[in-house]
Amino acid sequence: MLIAFIAATAIAGIAFVSDKALKPAPPKVISTFPTQGAIITPGPIKLSVTFDRPMRQRSYSFVQKSAETYPDCGTNQPVQSNNGKTFTLTCKVKAGHRYEVWFNNPPYLHFAGENGDPAVPFGLSFQTKPSANSSE
């Protein structure tokens, strides 16, 4: 009897869909500046992250894993683009350093789509060129 029911639903094309399958994928990072693995010139930079859709206003998580690998952004606040997809933060980077910035990382998940779903965490790593007077 159960086999006949399963066969009948398959033939009729009836599908059972869970609520999870109907939920859209969470927002994700599509580009950054600097780009992943870039080697950039030291000095002031406009650190930026762009998502695949408009994000919640004034809600962000630029996450520091270590004080040694996080750029000096002082007390600057990120600026969100008019289309809501890009956040830009003014920072300074030193010569000959490796940097790491996360956009969302539990428990800091404030980059969220307009519907409140947190973006997929994304780790950005980049480094700076050594100074001209460095022996590196």
Side-chain angles (χ1 to χ4, degrees):
M1 182 76 158
L2 179 58
I3 293 172
F5 174 74
I6 292 172
T9 58
I11 293 168
I14 299 171
F16 295 95
V17 180
S18 72
D19 288 340
K20 253 187 177 176
L22 298 176
K23 188 172 183 172
K28 66 180 181 181
V29 171
I30 59 170
S31 68
T32 62
F33 180 83
T35 58
Q36 188 69 270
I39 300 173
I40 63 170
T41 302
I45 64 166
K46 299 281 187 183
L47 177 67
S48 70
V49 58
T50 301
F51 293 90
D52 64 345
R53 66 193 75 175
M55 303 296 281
R56 183 177 279 174
Q57 296 291 313
R58 295 174 300 281
S59 182
Y60 46 83
S61 290
F62 287 81
V63 182
Q64 171 182 297
K65 288 282 198 160
S66 162
E68 291 80 35
T69 60
Y70 194 80
D72 176 8
C73 304
T75 59
N76 297 327
Q77 297 295 308
V79 176
Q80 192 170 6
S81 64
N82 289 337
N83 71 6
K85 295 180 180 183
T86 301
F87 291 79
T88 304
L89 181 60
T90 301
C91 302
K92 293 180 202 166
V93 291
K94 296 179 187 175
H97 277 69
R98 186 184 70 78
Y99 290 93
E100 178 181 23
V101 177
W102 280 78
F103 308 106
N104 278 5
N105 191 34
Y108 309 105
L109 299 171
H110 298 289
F111 276 120
E114 291 177 325
N115 66 356
D117 286 343
V120 175
F122 182 90
L124 170 64
S125 295
F126 64 94
Q127 56 188 341
T128 53
K129 297 174 184 176
S131 65
N133 60 4
S134 172
S135 61
E136 292 179 33

